[in-house]
Amino acid sequence: MEKVQEENETERWERPEEITESERDIIKETWARLYTNCEDVGVSILIRFFVNFPTAKQYFSQFKDMEDPLEMERSSQLRKHGRRVMGAINSVVENLGDPEKVATVLAIVGKSHAVKHKVDPVFFKILTGVILEVIAEAFAKDFTPEVQLAWSKLRSHIYSHVLATYKEVGWTQYPTNSV
């Protein structure tokens, strides 16, 4: 039974459900409100990511030894990376109606993280989960099941595109469902 469940989980991530037009609108509306405070939201996401998953810091020489969230918050390098993360997500959200552009943006992100930075792709699954947590908290009363579903689908799309790029470049250490 566990094996079947693992295969279904992997398949869900590798073949995400289609995002409908109304879900694209939901994502864009939610994102527009969040993106107005881009830098602070990006920093919040990264701090939560690094505090909850400290092994992810191994890929960041500039702040891998930082333990204190306040120190992370003041780090110009972390702020810069937060802006990059938010910018990449913004590019995806802005182009949700154009699957080729979305694929291109995520292929660039995936390739640089696979080839240049050698980041385990499972961290994309984790990071997108953290992003959903931050969105859910920021819009607690508005985070309806429809909003959650739309963002969950986007999360799956991001991860599946990134994972596909990792496979294309020959990444051999595929993620497990244990994280």
Side-chain angles (χ1 to χ4, degrees):
M1 181 68 174
E2 280 184 33
K3 185 71 171 165
V4 171
Q5 190 172 10
E6 277 184 33
E7 288 171 5
N8 288 341
E9 175 73 8
T10 300
E11 186 173 304
R12 184 173 67 88
W13 285 103
E14 291 182 6
R15 285 179 247 191
E17 292 180 57
E18 186 69 30
I19 299 174
T20 67
E21 188 173 334
S22 64
E23 290 167 333
R24 285 195 300 264
D25 291 343
I26 288 169
I27 292 166
K28 287 180 178 188
E29 190 273 329
T30 311
W31 183 252
R33 291 192 289 164
L34 202 63
Y35 197 65
T36 60
N37 200 7
C38 168
E39 185 172 317
D40 288 338
V41 172
V43 168
S44 294
I45 289 167
L46 289 180
I47 288 173
R48 179 175 300 193
F49 179 57
F50 293 136
V51 167
N52 293 341
F53 303 94
T55 58
K57 291 190 297 183
Q58 69 183 306
Y59 302 107
F60 297 90
S61 60
Q62 319 91 305
F63 39 87
K64 72 179 180 183
D65 295 323
M66 289 183 193
E67 299 295 328
D68 181 18
L70 290 174
E71 182 183 5
M72 288 183 211
E73 188 175 355
R74 291 188 299 263
S75 166
S76 62
Q77 295 95 344
L78 190 128
R79 288 192 161 279
K80 183 177 177 183
H81 196 70
R83 283 191 303 270
R84 276 196 300 249
V85 168
M86 295 295 283
I89 296 168
N90 191 58
S91 293
V92 169
V93 170
E94 284 181 344
N95 292 294
L96 278 176
D98 187 343
E100 286 184 32
K101 280 191 178 177
V102 169
T104 299
V105 168
L106 293 172
I108 290 167
V109 169
K111 187 174 183 179
S112 95
H113 283 79
V115 175
K116 184 177 178 185
H117 305 296
K118 311 241 185 286
V119 174
D120 189 319
V122 76
F123 285 109
F124 281 92
K125 188 186 294 187
I126 296 168
L127 180 62
T128 55
V130 171
I131 292 168
L132 254 60
E133 287 175 13
V134 169
I135 293 170
E137 287 173 13
F139 303 106
K141 65 181 181 188
D142 299 324
F143 205 67
T144 64
E146 292 80 18
V147 174
Q148 184 176 356
L149 178 61
W151 277 96
S152 292
K153 285 183 178 182
L154 180 59
R155 178 184 183 207
S156 295
H157 275 269
I158 291 170
Y159 184 69
S160 69
H161 280 289
V162 169
L163 189 58
T165 300
Y166 270 69
K167 288 179 179 179
E168 285 175 20
V169 299
W171 184 267
T172 57
Q173 302 166 326
Y174 293 103
T176 64
N177 293 322
S178 62
V179 178

